[in-house]
């Protein structure tokens, strides 16, 4: 079925035109910069609410700044609609990055935007020489993106965390064996 000159879809079996509403999205993925802070804060507030500041991963992020060169946003027609941040951490003896928060505006959920941001961030960390990308998240969502479970209670966070949700993309050799001890921000 192809549109006619007026953009109406027609079939050869029927004389009744079928109208189709088409939405064009101009999604662009960019490296985060300071001008995105307000939009990112709004997106995270929508996604996680005020409880976002009490999470163990947030305690790590409070220790020092995230790495702008490994943090990304997605825009749709110029509006920032999603973001992912990466914070440098020392996890046991692994020099890695903590992924998160990852958030997508409700109007753009379930379109693969979050997955693409994760893919971009992990690849950027790999290129920068990170040994691992670690996060606290849902295994069914992150597993297909290359994340594996960290050994139960292997890492100690600065606050309560469900050890079944601590995941890693190992980039260097022997990462799983060295992910033992505390996890904290590093320069």
């Amino acid at each position: 079925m192809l549109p006619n000159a007026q953009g109406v879809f027609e079939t050869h079996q029927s004389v009744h035109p079928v109208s189709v509403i088409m939405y064009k999205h101009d999604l662009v993925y960019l490296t985060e910069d300071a001008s995105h802070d307000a939009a990112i804060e709004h997106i995270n507030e929508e996604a996680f609410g005020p409880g976002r500041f009490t999470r163990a991963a947030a305690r790590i992020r409070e220790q020092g700044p995230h790495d702008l060169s490994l943090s990304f946003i997605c825009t749709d027609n110029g509006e920032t609609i999603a973001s992912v941040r990466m914070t440098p951490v020392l996890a046991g003896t692994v020099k890695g990055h903590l992924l998160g928060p990852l958030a997508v505006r409700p109007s753009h959920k379930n379109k693969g935007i979050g997955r693409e941001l994760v893919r971009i961030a992990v690849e950027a960390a790999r290129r920068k020489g990170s040994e691992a990308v670690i996060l606290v998240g849902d295994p069914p969502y992150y597993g297909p993106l290359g994340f594996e479970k960290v050994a139960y209670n292997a890492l100690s966070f600065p606050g309560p965390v469900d050890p079944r949700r601590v995941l890693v993309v190992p980039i260097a050799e022997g990462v799983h064996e060295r992910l033992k001890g505390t996890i904290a921000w590093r320069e």
Side-chain angles (χ1 to χ4, degrees):
M1 187 165 40
L2 297 172
N4 65 17
Q6 290 78 34
V8 175
F9 286 79
E10 297 178 343
T11 64
H12 296 292
Q13 292 87 7
S14 172
V15 292
H16 301 288
V18 177
S19 295
V20 175
I21 298 172
M22 298 180 69
Y23 296 96
K24 182 179 182 283
H25 289 282
D26 188 15
L27 298 178
V28 178
Y29 295 86
L30 303 166
T31 304
E32 178 188 333
D33 66 41
S35 72
H36 302 121
D37 283 345
I40 291 170
E41 180 58 30
H42 178 72
I43 293 166
N44 287 327
E45 183 179 359
E46 276 185 319
F48 304 112
R52 68 191 180 281
F53 298 115
T54 64
R55 297 178 177 197
R59 303 277 74 82
I60 293 170
R61 292 182 199 108
E62 289 173 348
Q63 297 170 9
H66 62 284
D67 185 337
L68 281 173
S69 72
L70 298 181
S71 299
F72 300 91
I73 64 155
C74 178
T75 66
D76 183 1
N77 292 320
E79 177 191 359
T80 301
I81 51 94
S83 77
V84 66
R85 287 181 165 170
M86 297 275 271
T87 302
V89 293
L90 184 62
T93 62
V94 175
K95 291 181 180 178
H97 287 85
L98 181 67
L99 186 143
L102 168 67
V104 179
R105 302 257 354 243
S107 60
H108 288 74
K109 285 190 175 285
N110 302 314
K111 297 181 181 183
I113 295 167
R115 285 179 162 77
E116 182 63 9
L117 282 169
V118 170
R119 188 196 66 72
I120 291 167
V122 169
E123 185 53 37
R126 185 183 319 275
R127 284 193 313 270
K128 193 167 182 175
S130 183
E131 293 185 298
V133 175
I134 302 157
L135 63 78
V136 179
D138 296 322
Y141 180 86
Y142 290 101
L145 301 175
F147 285 84
E148 306 167 359
K149 287 187 177 184
V150 171
Y152 195 83
N153 279 336
L155 290 175
S156 173
F157 282 75
V161 68
D162 181 349
R164 295 170 295 195
R165 294 171 41 92
V166 180
L167 307 172
V168 64
V169 171
I171 297 171
E173 292 293 319
V175 164
H176 279 284
E177 295 77 23
R178 297 184 295 127
L179 283 175
K180 292 182 173 71
T182 61
I183 180 168
W185 182 83
R186 70 173 169 87
E187 286 192 54

